[in-house]
Amino acid sequence: PPSSVLSTETLLSMMVQFAVHFAAIMSVTFMSDVYVDPYDPSIVPDGPFHPNTLNTATFLITVLASVNAFLVNYRGRPFMEDLVHNKLLFRSIQGCYFVLFVCATEVFPPLNQLMQLSPLPSSGPPLFHLDGVVGEGSAVRSDVFGTVHDTLLQAVRLVGFRTMLCLIMCLDTALVAMAEKCIRSAFED
């Protein structure tokens, strides 16, 4: 085990996990933002909740980030039972991933309705975005974020929104798992 809570291994692991999750959440936010009408009265802070593409996709990716953080930080032996031997915990994590991907792909719409998730677009960005008529927030983006935003929208246009969301979810899971494995192996005695 690390000698301290503030050991180099722990801090590096936290920073890398934060960076990966932050990039995934921002990517999903950038690609979902164009599907939200900036003049919709339901997006008023402290107003009544109405599901839209942005809050649905953000919910899915943040829940995934929480499950991923739990999974990669679970140490197992010698302190606890290994994850694969802890059947209840292992099945619960598998169930979380299953439900998240079922909701992201919308293969069972009643589950999305039960969870108050908005239907996700199956195709690329709406036409009103292609003409440059988007909310005021997009005009404020810097060149770097503008390039990332445009690249994400091109990818969404190419593979579709749901597929891109699932790809980002898989990428987040794989990157944090690989990063944690590399960090643990680099700091082994």
Side-chain angles (χ1 to χ4, degrees), residues 39-97:
Y39 303 108
D40 184 4
S42 70
I43 61 172
V44 174
D46 298 326
F49 175 77
H50 296 284
N52 60 38
T53 302
L54 178 61
N55 58 30
T56 295
T58 303
F59 170 76
L60 292 173
I61 197 73
T62 54
V63 170
L64 179 89
S66 298
V67 173
N68 285 343
F70 179 80
L71 180 67
V72 301
N73 292 315
Y74 186 85
R75 292 288 177 154
R77 296 199 190 276
F79 310 106
M80 297 177 277
E81 192 175 12
D82 277 339
L83 185 61
V84 292
H85 295 113
N86 189 340
K87 296 292 184 196
L88 183 60
L89 181 60
F90 189 61
R91 298 283 185 222
S92 298
I93 290 173
Q94 288 177 328
C96 286
Y97 283 127

Coordinates of all heavy atoms in Angstrom, one line a residue, residues 39-97:
Y39 N -33.1 29.1 -26.3 CA -34.3 29.9 -25.8 C -35.3 29.1 -25.1 O -36.4 29.5 -24.9 CB -34.9 30.7 -27.0 CG -33.8 31.5 -27.7 CD1 -33.3 31.2 -28.9 CD2 -33.3 32.7 -27.0 CE1 -32.3 32.0 -29.5 CE2 -32.4 33.5 -27.6 CZ -31.9 33.1 -28.9 OH -30.9 33.9 -29.4
D40 N -35.0 27.8 -24.9 CA -35.9 26.9 -24.2 C -36.1 27.3 -22.7 O -35.1 27.4 -22.0 CB -35.4 25.5 -24.3 CG -36.4 24.5 -23.7 OD1 -37.5 24.8 -23.3 OD2 -36.0 23.3 -23.7
P41 N -37.3 27.6 -22.3 CA -37.5 28.1 -20.9 C -37.2 27.0 -19.9 O -37.0 27.3 -18.7 CB -39.0 28.5 -20.8 CG -39.6 27.8 -22.0 CD -38.6 27.6 -23.0
S42 N -37.1 25.8 -20.3 CA -36.8 24.7 -19.3 C -35.4 24.7 -18.8 O -35.1 23.9 -17.9 CB -37.2 23.3 -19.9 OG -36.4 23.0 -20.9
I43 N -34.5 25.4 -19.5 CA -33.1 25.4 -19.1 C -32.8 26.5 -18.1 O -31.6 26.8 -17.8 CB -32.1 25.4 -20.3 CG1 -32.3 26.7 -21.1 CG2 -32.3 24.2 -21.1 CD1 -31.3 26.8 -22.2
V44 N -33.8 27.1 -17.5 CA -33.6 28.2 -16.5 C -33.1 27.5 -15.2 O -33.7 26.5 -14.8 CB -34.9 28.9 -16.3 CG1 -34.8 29.9 -15.1 CG2 -35.4 29.6 -17.5
P45 N -32.0 28.0 -14.7 CA -31.5 27.5 -13.4 C -32.6 27.6 -12.3 O -33.4 28.5 -12.3 CB -30.3 28.3 -13.0 CG -29.9 29.0 -14.3 CD -31.1 29.1 -15.1
D46 N -32.7 26.5 -11.5 CA -33.7 26.4 -10.4 C -35.1 26.4 -10.9 O -36.0 26.5 -10.1 CB -33.5 27.6 -9.4 CG -32.2 27.6 -8.7 OD1 -31.6 26.5 -8.5 OD2 -31.7 28.7 -8.4
G47 N -35.3 26.1 -12.2 CA -36.6 25.9 -12.7 C -37.0 24.4 -12.7 O -36.2 23.6 -12.2
P48 N -38.2 24.1 -13.2 CA -38.6 22.7 -13.2 C -37.7 21.9 -14.1 O -37.2 22.4 -15.1 CB -40.0 22.7 -13.7 CG -40.1 24.0 -14.4 CD -39.2 25.0 -13.8
F49 N -37.5 20.6 -13.7 CA -36.6 19.8 -14.5 C -37.4 19.3 -15.8 O -38.5 18.8 -15.7 CB -36.2 18.5 -13.7 CG -35.4 17.6 -14.5 CD1 -34.1 17.8 -14.9 CD2 -36.0 16.4 -15.0 CE1 -33.4 16.9 -15.6 CE2 -35.3 15.5 -15.7 CZ -34.0 15.7 -16.1
H50 N -36.7 19.4 -16.9 CA -37.2 18.9 -18.2 C -36.0 18.2 -18.9 O -35.0 18.9 -19.1 CB -37.8 20.0 -19.1 CG -39.0 20.6 -18.5 ND1 -40.2 20.0 -18.5 CD2 -39.2 21.8 -17.9 CE1 -41.1 20.8 -17.9 NE2 -40.5 21.9 -17.6
P51 N -36.1 17.0 -19.2 CA -34.9 16.3 -19.8 C -34.6 16.8 -21.1 O -35.5 17.2 -21.9 CB -35.4 14.8 -19.8 CG -36.8 14.8 -19.7 CD -37.2 16.1 -19.0
N52 N -33.4 17.0 -21.4 CA -32.9 17.3 -22.8 C -31.6 16.6 -23.1 O -31.1 15.8 -22.2 CB -32.7 18.9 -22.9 CG -31.7 19.4 -22.0 OD1 -30.7 18.8 -21.7 ND2 -32.0 20.6 -21.4
T53 N -31.1 16.7 -24.3 CA -30.0 15.9 -24.7 C -28.8 16.2 -23.8 O -28.0 15.3 -23.4 CB -29.6 16.2 -26.2 OG1 -30.8 15.9 -27.0 CG2 -28.5 15.4 -26.7
L54 N -28.6 17.5 -23.5 CA -27.4 17.9 -22.6 C -27.4 17.2 -21.3 O -26.5 16.6 -20.9 CB -27.3 19.4 -22.5 CG -26.2 19.9 -21.7 CD1 -24.8 19.6 -22.2 CD2 -26.3 21.5 -21.6
N55 N -28.6 17.4 -20.5 CA -28.5 16.8 -19.2 C -28.6 15.3 -19.2 O -28.1 14.6 -18.3 CB -29.6 17.4 -18.3 CG -31.0 17.3 -18.8 OD1 -31.4 16.3 -19.5 ND2 -31.8 18.2 -18.4
T56 N -29.2 14.7 -20.2 CA -29.2 13.2 -20.3 C -27.8 12.6 -20.6 O -27.3 11.7 -19.9 CB -30.2 12.7 -21.4 OG1 -31.5 13.1 -21.1 CG2 -30.1 11.2 -21.7
A57 N -27.1 13.2 -21.6 CA -25.8 12.7 -21.9 C -24.8 13.0 -20.7 O -23.9 12.2 -20.4 CB -25.3 13.4 -23.2
T58 N -24.9 14.2 -20.1 CA -24.1 14.5 -19.0 C -24.3 13.6 -17.8 O -23.4 13.1 -17.2 CB -24.3 16.0 -18.6 OG1 -24.1 16.8 -19.7 CG2 -23.3 16.4 -17.5
F59 N -25.6 13.2 -17.5 CA -25.9 12.3 -16.5 C -25.2 10.9 -16.7 O -24.6 10.4 -15.9 CB -27.4 12.1 -16.3 CG -27.8 11.0 -15.5 CD1 -27.7 11.1 -14.1 CD2 -28.3 9.8 -16.0 CE1 -28.1 10.1 -13.2 CE2 -28.6 8.8 -15.2 CZ -28.5 8.9 -13.8
L60 N -25.3 10.4 -18.0 CA -24.8 9.1 -18.3 C -23.3 9.1 -18.1 O -22.7 8.2 -17.6 CB -25.2 8.7 -19.7 CG -26.7 8.4 -19.9 CD1 -26.9 8.2 -21.4 CD2 -27.1 7.2 -19.1
I61 N -22.6 10.2 -18.6 CA -21.1 10.1 -18.5 C -20.6 10.4 -17.1 O -19.6 9.8 -16.7 CB -20.5 11.2 -19.5 CG1 -19.0 10.9 -19.7 CG2 -20.7 12.6 -19.1 CD1 -18.7 9.7 -20.6
T62 N -21.3 11.2 -16.3 CA -20.9 11.4 -14.9 C -21.1 10.1 -14.1 O -20.3 9.8 -13.2 CB -21.5 12.6 -14.3 OG1 -23.0 12.5 -14.4 CG2 -21.1 13.9 -14.9
V63 N -22.2 9.4 -14.3 CA -22.4 8.2 -13.6 C -21.4 7.2 -14.0 O -20.8 6.4 -13.1 CB -23.9 7.6 -13.8 CG1 -24.0 6.2 -13.2 CG2 -24.9 8.5 -13.2
L64 N -21.1 7.1 -15.3 CA -20.0 6.2 -15.7 C -18.7 6.6 -15.1 O -17.9 5.7 -14.6 CB -19.9 6.3 -17.2 CG -18.8 5.4 -17.8 CD1 -19.3 4.0 -18.1 CD2 -18.1 5.9 -19.0
A65 N -18.4 7.8 -15.0 CA -17.1 8.3 -14.3 C -17.1 7.8 -12.9 O -16.0 7.4 -12.4 CB -16.9 9.8 -14.5
S66 N -18.2 7.9 -12.2 CA -18.2 7.5 -10.8 C -18.0 6.0 -10.7 O -17.3 5.5 -9.8 CB -19.6 7.8 -10.2 OG -19.8 9.2 -10.2
V67 N -18.6 5.2 -11.5 CA -18.5 3.7 -11.5 C -17.0 3.4 -11.9 O -16.4 2.5 -11.2 CB -19.5 3.0 -12.5 CG1 -19.2 1.6 -12.6 CG2 -20.9 3.3 -12.0
N68 N -16.5 4.1 -12.9 CA -15.1 3.8 -13.3 C -14.1 4.2 -12.1 O -13.1 3.4 -11.9 CB -14.7 4.6 -14.5 CG -15.3 4.1 -15.8 OD1 -15.7 2.9 -15.8 ND2 -15.3 4.9 -16.8
A69 N -14.3 5.3 -11.5 CA -13.5 5.7 -10.4 C -13.5 4.6 -9.3 O -12.5 4.3 -8.7 CB -13.9 7.0 -9.8
F70 N -14.7 4.1 -9.0 CA -14.8 3.1 -7.9 C -14.1 1.8 -8.4 O -13.3 1.2 -7.6 CB -16.3 2.8 -7.6 CG -16.4 1.7 -6.6 CD1 -16.3 2.0 -5.3 CD2 -16.7 0.4 -7.0 CE1 -16.4 1.0 -4.3 CE2 -16.8 -0.6 -6.1 CZ -16.7 -0.3 -4.7
L71 N -14.3 1.4 -9.6 CA -13.7 0.2 -10.1 C -12.2 0.2 -10.1 O -11.5 -0.7 -9.7 CB -14.2 -0.1 -11.5 CG -13.7 -1.4 -12.2 CD1 -14.2 -2.6 -11.5 CD2 -14.1 -1.4 -13.7
V72 N -11.6 1.3 -10.7 CA -10.1 1.3 -10.8 C -9.4 1.5 -9.5 O -8.3 1.2 -9.3 CB -9.6 2.3 -11.8 CG1 -10.2 2.1 -13.2 CG2 -9.9 3.8 -11.4
N73 N -10.1 2.1 -8.5 CA -9.5 2.4 -7.2 C -9.8 1.2 -6.2 O -9.2 1.3 -5.1 CB -10.0 3.7 -6.6 CG -9.5 4.9 -7.4 OD1 -8.4 4.9 -7.7 ND2 -10.4 5.8 -7.7
Y74 N -10.5 0.2 -6.6 CA -10.7 -0.9 -5.7 C -9.4 -1.8 -5.7 O -9.0 -2.2 -6.8 CB -11.9 -1.8 -6.3 CG -12.3 -2.9 -5.4 CD1 -13.2 -2.7 -4.3 CD2 -11.8 -4.2 -5.6 CE1 -13.5 -3.8 -3.5 CE2 -12.1 -5.2 -4.8 CZ -13.0 -5.0 -3.7 OH -13.4 -6.1 -2.9
R75 N -8.9 -2.0 -4.5 CA -7.6 -2.6 -4.4 C -7.6 -4.1 -4.3 O -6.7 -4.8 -4.8 CB -6.8 -2.0 -3.2 CG -6.3 -0.6 -3.4 CD -5.3 -0.5 -4.4 NE -4.9 0.9 -4.6 CZ -3.7 1.2 -5.1 NH1 -2.8 0.3 -5.3 NH2 -3.4 2.5 -5.2
G76 N -8.6 -4.7 -3.6 CA -8.7 -6.1 -3.5 C -7.6 -6.6 -2.5 O -7.4 -6.0 -1.5
R77 N -7.1 -7.7 -2.8 CA -6.1 -8.4 -1.9 C -4.9 -7.5 -1.7 O -4.5 -6.8 -2.6 CB -5.7 -9.7 -2.4 CG -6.8 -10.7 -2.5 CD -6.3 -12.1 -2.5 NE -7.4 -13.0 -2.8 CZ -8.2 -13.6 -1.9 NH1 -8.0 -13.2 -0.6 NH2 -9.1 -14.4 -2.2
P78 N -4.3 -7.4 -0.5 CA -4.5 -8.2 0.7 C -5.5 -7.6 1.7 O -5.7 -8.1 2.7 CB -3.1 -8.3 1.3 CG -2.5 -7.0 1.0 CD -3.1 -6.7 -0.4
F79 N -6.1 -6.5 1.3 CA -6.9 -5.7 2.2 C -8.4 -6.2 2.2 O -9.1 -6.2 3.2 CB -6.8 -4.2 2.0 CG -5.4 -3.7 1.9 CD1 -4.9 -3.4 0.7 CD2 -4.7 -3.6 3.0 CE1 -3.6 -3.0 0.6 CE2 -3.4 -3.2 2.9 CZ -2.8 -2.9 1.7
M80 N -8.8 -6.5 1.0 CA -10.2 -6.9 0.8 C -10.3 -8.1 -0.2 O -9.3 -8.5 -0.8 CB -11.0 -5.7 0.2 CG -11.1 -4.5 1.1 SD -12.0 -3.2 0.2 CE -10.7 -2.5 -0.7
E81 N -11.4 -8.6 -0.3 CA -11.6 -9.7 -1.3 C -11.4 -9.2 -2.7 O -11.8 -8.0 -3.0 CB -13.1 -10.2 -1.1 CG -13.4 -11.5 -1.8 CD -14.8 -12.0 -1.4 OE1 -15.6 -11.2 -0.9 OE2 -15.0 -13.2 -1.8
D82 N -10.8 -10.0 -3.6 CA -10.7 -9.6 -5.0 C -12.1 -9.3 -5.6 O -13.1 -9.9 -5.2 CB -10.0 -10.7 -5.8 CG -8.5 -10.7 -5.7 OD1 -8.0 -9.6 -5.3 OD2 -7.9 -11.7 -5.9
L83 N -12.1 -8.4 -6.5 CA -13.4 -8.0 -7.1 C -14.1 -9.2 -7.8 O -15.3 -9.4 -7.6 CB -13.1 -6.9 -8.2 CG -14.4 -6.3 -8.8 CD1 -15.2 -5.7 -7.7 CD2 -14.0 -5.3 -9.8
V84 N -13.3 -10.1 -8.5 CA -14.0 -11.2 -9.2 C -14.5 -12.2 -8.2 O -15.4 -13.0 -8.5 CB -13.1 -11.8 -10.2 CG1 -12.8 -10.9 -11.4 CG2 -11.8 -12.3 -9.6
H85 N -14.0 -12.3 -7.0 CA -14.5 -13.2 -6.0 C -15.6 -12.6 -5.2 O -16.3 -13.3 -4.5 CB -13.3 -13.6 -5.0 CG -12.3 -14.4 -5.7 ND1 -11.0 -13.9 -5.9 CD2 -12.3 -15.6 -6.3 CE1 -10.3 -14.8 -6.6 NE2 -11.1 -15.9 -6.9
N86 N -15.7 -11.3 -5.2 CA -16.8 -10.6 -4.5 C -18.0 -10.5 -5.5 O -18.2 -9.5 -6.2 CB -16.4 -9.2 -4.0 CG -17.4 -8.5 -3.1 OD1 -18.6 -8.9 -3.1 ND2 -17.0 -7.5 -2.4
K87 N -18.7 -11.6 -5.6 CA -19.8 -11.8 -6.6 C -20.8 -10.7 -6.6 O -21.2 -10.2 -7.7 CB -20.4 -13.1 -6.5 CG -19.5 -14.3 -6.8 CD -19.1 -14.3 -8.2 CE -18.2 -15.6 -8.4 NZ -17.5 -15.5 -9.7
L88 N -21.3 -10.3 -5.5 CA -22.3 -9.3 -5.4 C -21.8 -7.9 -5.9 O -22.5 -7.3 -6.7 CB -22.8 -9.1 -4.0 CG -24.0 -8.1 -3.8 CD1 -25.2 -8.6 -4.6 CD2 -24.4 -8.1 -2.3
L89 N -20.7 -7.5 -5.5 CA -20.1 -6.3 -6.0 C -19.8 -6.3 -7.5 O -20.1 -5.4 -8.2 CB -18.8 -5.9 -5.2 CG -18.1 -4.6 -5.5 CD1 -19.1 -3.4 -5.3 CD2 -16.9 -4.5 -4.7
F90 N -19.2 -7.4 -7.9 CA -18.8 -7.6 -9.3 C -20.1 -7.5 -10.2 O -20.1 -6.9 -11.2 CB -18.1 -8.9 -9.5 CG -17.5 -9.1 -10.8 CD1 -16.5 -8.2 -11.3 CD2 -17.9 -10.2 -11.6 CE1 -16.0 -8.4 -12.6 CE2 -17.3 -10.4 -12.9 CZ -16.3 -9.5 -13.4
R91 N -21.1 -8.2 -9.8 CA -22.4 -8.2 -10.6 C -23.0 -6.8 -10.6 O -23.6 -6.4 -11.5 CB -23.4 -9.3 -10.0 CG -22.9 -10.7 -10.1 CD -23.0 -11.2 -11.6 NE -22.6 -12.6 -11.6 CZ -21.9 -13.1 -12.5 NH1 -21.4 -12.4 -13.5 NH2 -21.6 -14.4 -12.4
S92 N -22.9 -6.1 -9.4 CA -23.5 -4.8 -9.4 C -22.8 -3.8 -10.3 O -23.4 -3.0 -11.0 CB -23.4 -4.2 -7.9 OG -24.1 -5.0 -7.0
I93 N -21.5 -3.9 -10.4 CA -20.7 -3.1 -11.3 C -21.1 -3.4 -12.8 O -21.3 -2.5 -13.6 CB -19.2 -3.2 -11.1 CG1 -18.9 -2.5 -9.7 CG2 -18.4 -2.6 -12.2 CD1 -17.5 -2.7 -9.3
Q94 N -21.2 -4.7 -13.1 CA -21.6 -5.2 -14.4 C -23.0 -4.6 -14.7 O -23.2 -4.2 -15.9 CB -21.5 -6.7 -14.5 CG -20.2 -7.3 -14.6 CD -20.2 -8.8 -14.6 OE1 -21.1 -9.4 -14.0 NE2 -19.2 -9.4 -15.3
G95 N -23.9 -4.7 -13.8 CA -25.2 -4.2 -13.9 C -25.2 -2.7 -14.2 O -26.0 -2.2 -15.1
C96 N -24.4 -1.9 -13.5 CA -24.3 -0.5 -13.8 C -23.9 -0.2 -15.2 O -24.5 0.6 -15.9 CB -23.3 0.2 -12.8 SG -23.9 0.3 -11.1
Y97 N -22.8 -0.9 -15.7 CA -22.4 -0.7 -17.0 C -23.4 -1.1 -18.0 O -23.7 -0.4 -19.0 CB -21.1 -1.6 -17.3 CG -19.8 -1.0 -16.7 CD1 -19.0 -1.7 -15.9 CD2 -19.5 0.3 -17.0 CE1 -17.8 -1.2 -15.4 CE2 -18.3 0.9 -16.5 CZ -17.5 0.1 -15.7 OH -16.3 0.6 -15.2

